Amino acid sequence: MKKLILMTLMLIGAMTTMMAQKPAEIKFDTVTHNFGSFSESDPIVTCVFKFTNVGEMPLVINQAVASCGCTVPEYTKTPIQPGQKGEIKVTYNGTGKFPGHFKKSITVRTNGVKEMTRLYIEGDMTEASK
């Protein structure tokens, strides 16, 4: 009987300790990037969104999905430990697109407190001089 009570108390103590830890939490340095103006003759531009895991558990990015096929996100597939940094590289390819202003979003899903975050890129692609 004493063993059963002792095991129950140990289990409750272990569960309390596990629940006291803060889950993973992603914090981006910035959630928007403006490419400014770039020429249609050089239509591929890239930026990097940097983030930190400010939680106490490992952070896993489950997916990063762009709103358009012309935008491709690349992200760290391995878990980011507490306090560590990671990055999401986003490439916009304006080949075949009309010159002008664009704004695209990238939806990032994680195992963190805030499961979904949206990143935004925008810019102005100018017509190539002939």
Side-chain angles (χ1 to χ4, degrees):
M1 185 67 175
K2 287 182 183 180
K3 285 184 181 180
L4 180 62
I5 293 172
L6 182 61
M7 292 296 284
T8 304
L9 289 174
M10 287 177 60
L11 181 63
I12 291 171
M15 288 178 64
T16 304
T17 302
M18 286 175 44
M19 294 177 88
Q21 289 184 331
K22 282 177 33 182
E25 185 176 351
I26 194 166
K27 181 175 185 230
F28 283 93
D29 293 350
T30 182
V31 293
T32 61
H33 180 81
N34 190 330
F35 290 110
S37 250
F38 59 95
S39 175
E40 181 181 24
S41 60
D42 191 14
I44 300 173
V45 289
T46 301
C47 70
V48 175
F49 290 95
K50 296 186 181 207
F51 63 87
T52 305
N53 178 2
V54 295
E56 294 178 1
M57 301 292 287
L59 174 74
V60 177
I61 297 177
N62 297 320
Q63 67 179 177
V65 180
S67 61
C68 174
C70 59
T71 305
V72 179
E74 297 174 41
Y75 58 93
T76 308
K77 305 284 194 274
T78 58
I80 292 87
Q81 297 303 315
Q84 297 296 309
K85 296 183 178 291
E87 58 186 38
I88 297 176
K89 179 181 172 185
V90 178
T91 303
Y92 172 78
N93 185 346
T95 305
K97 303 290 181 196
F98 288 108
H101 186 78
F102 68 90
K103 185 169 186 172
K104 306 293 179 185
S105 67
I106 298 92
T107 303
V108 179
R109 296 188 185 276
T110 70
N111 68 329
V113 175
K114 186 175 178 186
E115 293 178 5
M116 185 184 79
T117 304
R118 282 219 170 84
L119 306 174
Y120 298 94
I121 60 168
E122 64 181 306
D124 290 295
M125 185 166 69
T126 59
E127 194 171 335
S129 42
K130 296 177 181 181

